[in-house]
Amino acid sequence: MNIHVPSTYEIYRGWQSIQGTGLEIGSAVLLAVVLGAASGMVVFLLPTFIACRRKVHNAAVVAVVNCATGMTGVGWVIALLMACVMETDTQRHARLRRSEPATFLNVP
């Protein structure tokens, strides 16, 4: 009985013929990791982006809450609510021109 045990080189050459040079696989994995990290950062900083886009009066407070407690999940939701509910600059200037007192939700 003649059993052929392939050498490491034969296994490597067989794998290389199936998979290519290996550079394509490494590049795809690296690209997936980079894109995953970038999209994760965008989702993590979404409350800050919303606050800046809405021109919230104290967008820096939203950014600090988001960065300091956002990783807990609860802090991220709180920062998102702050970004969506807080008073914008235009609302604040209009309220100050009318000299209306501030309410709980529109106080920065």
Side-chain angles (χ1 to χ4, degrees), residues 9-22 24-25:
Y9 179 74
E10 289 173 337
I11 293 172
Y12 172 73
R13 293 299 290 168
W15 177 257
Q16 191 177 25
S17 66
I18 293 171
Q19 295 295 325
T21 62
E24 294 88 8
I25 296 171

Side-chain angles (χ1 to χ4, degrees), residues 87-100:
E87 184 178 48
T88 62
D89 284 335
T90 54
Q91 291 170 344
R92 178 179 167 81
H93 293 309
R95 181 179 56 82
L96 291 176
R97 271 189 248 118
R98 291 189 308 263
S99 298
E100 292 178 2

